[in-house]
Amino acid sequence: PVERTPEIQLSRAKLPIFAEEQTIVEAIREHTVTVLCGETGSGKTTQVPQFLYEAGFATNGRVIGITEPRRVAAVSMADRVATEMSLSKDIVSYQIRYEGNATERTRILFMTDGVLLKELQRDIQLSRYSVIIIDEAHERSMYSDVLIGLLSRIAPMRARKGDPLKLIVMSATLRVEDFTQPRLFREPPMVMTVESRQFRVTIHFSRRTNDNYIAEAYKKVCQIHRQLPDGGILVFVAGQQEVNTLIDWLSHDFPLNPGSKAKETKPKRVKQRKSLQSAPAVDLNDYSADVNDDRGADLDEVGAGENLGLDDEMMEREDQQPVEPSRPLFCLPLYSMLPTSKQTRVFQRPPEGARLCVVATNVAETSITIPDVRYVVDTGKEKARLHDPVTGVSQFVVRWTSQASANQRAGRAGRVGPGDAYRLYSSAVFNDEFERFSEPEVLNKPVDELVLQMKAMNIVKVRNFPFPTPPDGDAIEAGERRLIKLDVLAMGVKGAAADAVEQAQARITALGRTVSLFPVAPKFGVVLALADQYELLPYAVCLVAALSVREPLVNVTSIRGCDADETKRLMVACLKQRRTWAAQGQSHQLGDLMVLLKAIGAAEFDGLTPAVCEQLGLHHKAVVEIRKLRKQLTDLINATCKLSRPLVLDAKMKPPTELQAKLLRQTTLAGLGDQVARRVDRTTTEEEIPKGAYQTLIMKEFVFIHPTSVLLKDQPDFVVYQQIVDVSGKKCMMTVSAIEPEWL
Ligand code: ADP
Ligand code: MG
């Protein structure tokens, strides 16, 4: 029997889901798989585990498991359910990658989806569980999609064994066809909808869309607070740093105890803002190295890329009139990295006489319901990990969220009564530039990475995997073939031919396990994994970072002066600079990769300002990105690899020795074995082969060394290249290094 305080009982009774307890429990008893939809705040996450506990699903030592895509939700929901049930934390517990309070006695376990996937590798039957609830399934994270796929097989299997495991898929949206299709579940799942108790929300679009959305958000909050009646304000921004900036500004202008130094601190604040402005460019000290997350995509937990899209002027807000002494504003931040104790403050009442204002990332969209919100201010922005098909690299970007997400955000204003949502973008932008729904993560991920990660989870037959939304099967097979060539996957049967059947059996190798940890394309991961010798690692990290970012070097042909003469002069100067960077002697063979190493070193040495970068023929933004990625990779390697001594990031780095330069060419080749070309014009007597022609492994056409390459004159017999581009009808290889034929 569960004992609840009268206060808790009262608040439970107010939740829309409360009246449905009977129906929900019955549906779950009668069906192996149940899909449960309900508006955010209807009580799914906090109540369903309690219903099941009281219905006896946690008897005989069995556990009710709930997976969350975000760590913050796993921790705070475990805490809340324990409180509601007056049970101790070793009975209602949580487990996230490095932390948890689960015990033998745990009966309800909240965890991140990554944690359950790990457990599946140990016990594919999930025998200690009687129920698995996949929460927030609408977020379509890769791990929760994979879990649904796996459980679509495991749950019926357990049912056939007479030891049922119930699967419950919970979603905040009604768009659930992907979860109910016959390909996934032979017996159609029970779909239930909890009626929402949602009040009317009036949506106000902005007439114009101002790029400086942080300043806009600030203005809007000030306006609401000064002019509109009581009620909490919830602001959505893209990332943690934006949250903190807004909180700083607002709590300065509307202090909790007014009159306490608001005036005197003003000059200081301006100064602080100045230092904030320059921070994104150079200061990496506040980077949190927790990239080895149990879930790569819990975006606002990852420090890297935090400043992206946040240009310097974004941090500048327009001058406001001196602020009138006004009602205090109780400002609270909310993002995943925030310690739990601070997160739960959003559920407490604001101090007497103050208005609540929560500034949040999309954590507050569906995972956490903040009470008493009446006004929503939506910047329309979110942080996302995007894949660049050209460089094969994932990067964090700030972009428009989806229409579905924006509507979720607006809905947060209608929980306690009619509300207002202020969108800081125009209806035209919303209609034309917002995607309708967020894309499932598995479709956005580069296929090589997806396959490698699935194999790292010991899922061998990726093509046949029952994804809720499957990626293209042929693309998966092509990816597998590339990964086998890289030795990150290997055939189950030794010496077997590489036909499709055998590929389906390809398994991850020890090298592949290491590579799967790096947030770069597997081919670059291989370069890193092989570089822990002869002190190559710092160079490999720098090169991989440089190659993972779009165009660090300014394209010489795009340089323009004010007239033709100057243009020519600037182009020549740039090429000359690069030729000086390319070393003499043996090291010269490293070619354009040496140019990259030296150019980045030079930019770092001169202080990495936009002016310096332009002078050196580098794109400033790209070089800043490279620095961030180097830092991220360095931290990750230190945290996960057993090195003889820690890898230190020396941004300026002295040039590699001749031996190191040679070894760097070899390691590059190991990762990019299919990007090699052989010079053919000398090796044949046939007339029609043009001078300087090379033959690649991937195309019939001849290719040539790009005219801006420092190896143009050398014309080595064999080269490895990064990219092929079209130069007035001629296919040219860019970023070229020479390789020795005996290495092939
Ligand atoms: P759903 O999962 O359907 O979005 P939840 O179960 O998360 O809904 O939330 C139900 C209610 O419980 C909400 O009104 C929310 O504000 C409240 N709630 C959740 N956590 C806490 C907490 N730690 N303290 C007080 N109220 C909470
Ligand atoms: Mg929930």
Side-chain angles (χ1 to χ4, degrees):
V2 176
E3 305 206 352
R4 300 184 178 85
T5 65
E7 201 185 335
I8 294 284
Q9 259 161 347
L10 203 68
S11 66
R12 286 185 88 211
K14 284 193 200 142
L15 294 172
I17 206 165
F18 189 73
E20 310 283 339
E21 174 165 2
Q22 214 71 46
T23 344
I24 290 174
V25 170
E26 229 134 78
I28 292 168
R29 274 196 213 287
E30 271 160 37
H31 297 85
T32 302
V33 184
T34 310
V35 176
L36 183 62
C37 306
E39 263 296 330
T40 304
S42 54
K44 300 182 299 299
T45 310
T46 53
Q47 304 310 313
V48 174
Q50 301 189 48
F51 296 166
L52 294 171
Y53 182 91
E54 290 189 274
F57 280 87
T59 50
N60 300 329
R62 291 303 172 98
V63 178
I64 298 167
I66 306 104
T67 71
E68 299 288 337
R70 297 165 185 280
R71 284 193 255 171
V72 40
V75 179
S76 69
M77 292 300 147
D79 193 65
R80 176 64 184 170
V81 171
T83 310
E84 288 199 16
M85 300 176 82
S86 315
L87 287 175
S88 86
K89 294 195 171 126
D90 39 273
I91 297 182
V92 183
S93 320
Y94 73 90
Q95 182 66 50
I96 59 183
R97 174 86 169 220
Y98 297 113
E99 192 196 320
N101 54 15
T103 64
E104 291 279 283
R105 301 174 56 215
T106 297
R107 295 284 78 92
I108 298 182
L109 179 61
F110 284 86
M111 64 201 129
T112 47
D113 37 26
V115 164
L116 187 61
L117 272 169
K118 282 262 147 54
E119 184 163 349
L120 266 162
Q121 289 172 22
R122 292 192 300 270
D123 175 16
I124 190 71
Q125 303 275 337
L126 291 176
S127 26
R128 70 178 177 129
Y129 296 96
S130 58
V131 184
I132 294 291
I133 303 173
I134 310 286
D135 201 4
E136 308 281 335
H138 60 270
E139 285 206 13
R140 305 302 306 271
S141 83
M142 170 182 161
Y143 285 177
S144 84
D145 271 15
V146 170
L147 276 176
I148 290 171
L150 284 168
L151 282 156
S152 75
R153 299 300 181 263
I154 299 167
M157 188 168 74
R158 285 265 308 260
R160 283 195 298 275
K161 272 178 49 186
D163 174 24
L165 171 71
K166 302 295 186 179
L167 170 63
I168 304 165
V169 177
M170 299 208 296
S171 163
T173 61
L174 297 175
R175 193 168 166 260
V176 294
E177 314 85 73
D178 285 350
F179 303 136
T180 56
Q181 39 176 314
R183 204 172 44 77
L184 217 50
F185 300 105
R186 211 161 298 154
E187 180 196 329
M190 174 75 181
V191 179
M192 300 188 69
T193 307
V194 183
E195 285 311 315
S196 65
R197 212 171 286 155
Q198 180 75 16
F199 294 91
R200 231 184 89 85
V201 175
T202 312
I203 291 181
H204 311 263
F205 282 102
S206 292
R207 223 167 309 152
R208 299 181 309 117
T209 307
N210 189 333
D211 287 340
N212 193 346
Y213 55 88
I214 297 298
E216 278 308 296
Y218 167 76
K219 276 197 271 182
K220 185 55 76 183
V221 173
C222 292
Q223 206 184 350
I224 293 171
H225 186 48
R226 291 211 182 88
Q227 298 169 8
L228 296 180
D230 280 0
I233 307 172
L234 171 61
V235 189
F236 285 99
V237 297
Q240 173 179 331
Q241 199 203 352
E242 297 177 4
V243 170
N244 288 329
T245 303
L246 257 186
I247 294 276
D248 279 355
W249 292 353
L250 290 167
S251 46
H252 177 274
D253 288 347
F254 307 102
L256 270 185
N257 15 15
S260 72
K261 11 176 193 170
K263 284 259 144 57
E264 310 92 89
T265 52
K266 192 142 196 186
K268 199 166 154 211
R269 175 170 54 115
V270 171
K271 221 163 147 199
Q272 274 171 356
R273 245 194 291 149
K274 273 260 156 31
S275 69
L276 248 179
Q277 279 176 41
S278 54
V282 283
D283 184 13
L284 285 152
N285 296 328
D286 65 346
Y287 170 81
S288 49
D290 205 2
V291 267
N292 186 15
D293 190 8
D294 39 350
R295 185 186 138 56
D298 194 343
L299 288 164
D300 52 86
E301 294 189 5
V302 186
E306 181 58 65
N307 298 321
L308 269 181
L310 230 159
D311 290 333
D312 292 355
E313 73 266 24
M314 289 269 300
M315 291 311 213
E316 196 107 53
R317 68 188 155 145
E318 281 164 40
D319 266 347
Q320 290 282 318
Q321 295 299 308
V323 175
E324 319 264 333
S326 133
R327 264 185 75 187
L329 197 59
F330 184 51
C331 300
L332 293 177
L334 186 62
Y335 47 82
S336 290
M337 284 292 273
L338 198 68
T340 321
S341 59
K342 295 208 170 137
Q343 280 165 5
T344 43
R345 284 193 312 187
V346 300
F347 296 113
Q348 288 154 21
R349 286 197 162 282
E352 200 51 45
R355 186 204 291 266
L356 177 72
C357 174
V358 178
V359 184
T361 61
N362 53 11
V363 164
E365 209 170 280
T366 58
S367 311
I368 289 182
T369 312
I370 301 155
D372 302 330
V373 171
R374 178 157 171 199
Y375 306 101
V376 163
V377 175
D378 179 19
T379 61
K381 299 288 186 177
E382 67 176 7
K383 201 160 63 171
R385 192 180 196 142
L386 272 199
H387 170 242
D388 183 332
V390 176
T391 63
V393 161
S394 305
Q395 284 193 63
F396 290 97
V397 292
V398 173
R399 62 163 187 204
W400 292 123
T401 187
S402 64
Q403 293 182 357
S405 287
N407 292 337
Q408 278 290 346
R409 292 178 178 189
R412 304 300 102 245
R415 296 280 315 140
V416 282
D420 290 277
Y422 296 90
R423 292 181 167 165
L424 305 178
Y425 41 89
S426 69
S427 57
V429 166
F430 177 81
N431 288 323
D432 304 341
E433 291 179 36
F434 280 44
E435 299 290 338
R436 284 198 51 221
F437 298 98
S438 308
E439 199 180 42
E441 196 185 348
V442 288
L443 296 191
N444 179 9
K445 233 184 165 53
V447 71
D448 291 25
E449 261 173 75
L450 176 70
V451 172
L452 186 60
Q453 291 202 13
M454 302 276 293
K455 301 270 181 177
M457 295 175 218
N458 297 330
I459 295 166
V460 182
K461 296 179 185 171
V462 181
R463 183 171 188 156
N464 299 342
F465 189 81
F467 288 102
T469 316
D472 179 64
D474 292 342
I476 288 177
E477 269 176 24
E480 285 206 3
R481 276 195 293 273
R482 285 189 294 268
L483 294 173
I484 290 170
K485 277 208 194 115
L486 278 177
D487 289 331
V488 295
L489 298 184
M491 262 15 140
V493 189
K494 264 208 180 121
D499 62 38
V501 180
E502 287 306 328
Q503 264 165 43
Q505 308 299 324
R507 284 167 198 280
I508 193 160
T509 61
L511 175 64
R513 294 236 174 252
T514 308
V515 170
S516 70
L517 298 174
F518 299 127
V520 294
K523 62 181 179 183
F524 292 140
V526 167
V527 175
L528 290 176
L530 295 180
D532 186 22
Q533 44 180 331
Y534 300 96
E535 291 175 51
L536 296 180
L537 212 36
Y539 301 110
V541 166
C542 182
L543 282 178
V544 164
L547 297 172
S548 300
V549 165
R550 234 179 217 206
E551 270 201 277
L553 296 177
V554 170
N555 180 353
V556 178
T557 54
S558 73
I559 295 177
R560 291 283 171 274
C562 48
D563 57 39
D565 277 357
E566 199 196 354
T567 297
K568 189 155 178 221
R569 197 175 53 74
L570 290 173
M571 282 183 180
V572 169
C574 184
L575 282 174
K576 207 169 146 199
Q577 169 73 277
R578 287 185 191 167
R579 254 180 264 127
T580 332
W581 277 329
Q584 303 302 308
Q586 260 296 310
S587 298
H588 183 70
Q589 304 290 312
L590 189 53
D592 299 316
L593 293 182
M594 182 65 100
V595 172
L596 270 178
L597 283 177
K598 295 253 190 79
I600 291 162
E604 292 284 356
F605 198 84
D606 291 344
L608 209 67
T609 62
V612 160
C613 290
E614 195 188 333
Q615 175 77 44
L616 295 172
L618 290 161
H619 287 294
H620 176 248
K621 250 192 153 153
V623 186
V624 171
E625 272 315 298
I626 290 170
R627 162 80 87 83
K628 280 189 202 156
L629 196 50
R630 284 171 78 185
K631 172 78 175 135
Q632 187 187 1
L633 289 171
T634 303
D635 289 342
L636 188 62
I637 289 169
N638 281 326
T640 56
C641 303
K642 289 189 199 80
L643 301 178
S644 36
R645 67 187 140 110
L647 178 60
V648 181
L649 176 60
D650 173 14
K652 295 167 193 169
M653 212 164 47
K654 61 178 193 296
T657 63
E658 283 210 345
L659 175 64
Q660 284 174 324
K662 182 175 172 189
L663 293 169
L664 281 172
R665 292 194 282 143
Q666 286 180 350
T667 34
T668 310
L669 177 64
L672 284 70
D674 53 355
Q675 291 168 221
V676 295
R678 170 171 163 241
R679 183 165 171 191
V680 286
D681 67 342
R682 276 194 292 233
T683 55
T684 172
T685 47
E686 281 173 57
E687 278 301 297
E688 66 267 32
I689 298 185
K691 197 168 169 328
Y694 282 77
Q695 187 79 65
T696 62
L697 298 174
I698 52 161
M699 50 205 259
K700 276 224 166 75
E701 246 181 295
F702 291 127
V703 299
F704 301 84
I705 291 184
H706 196 276
T708 62
S709 168
V710 292
L711 290 178
L712 179 68
K713 290 222 177 81
D714 306 73
Q715 303 276 310
D717 286 340
F718 290 89
V719 295
V720 54
Y721 59 85
Q722 300 297 330
Q723 208 186 337
I724 292 181
V725 297
D726 196 290
V727 179
S728 25
K730 242 166 94 171
K731 295 274 180 288
C732 292
M733 300 177 281
M734 286 192 76
T735 320
V736 178
S737 295
I739 51 175
E740 308 299 329
E742 64 265 25
W743 297 345
L744 290 169

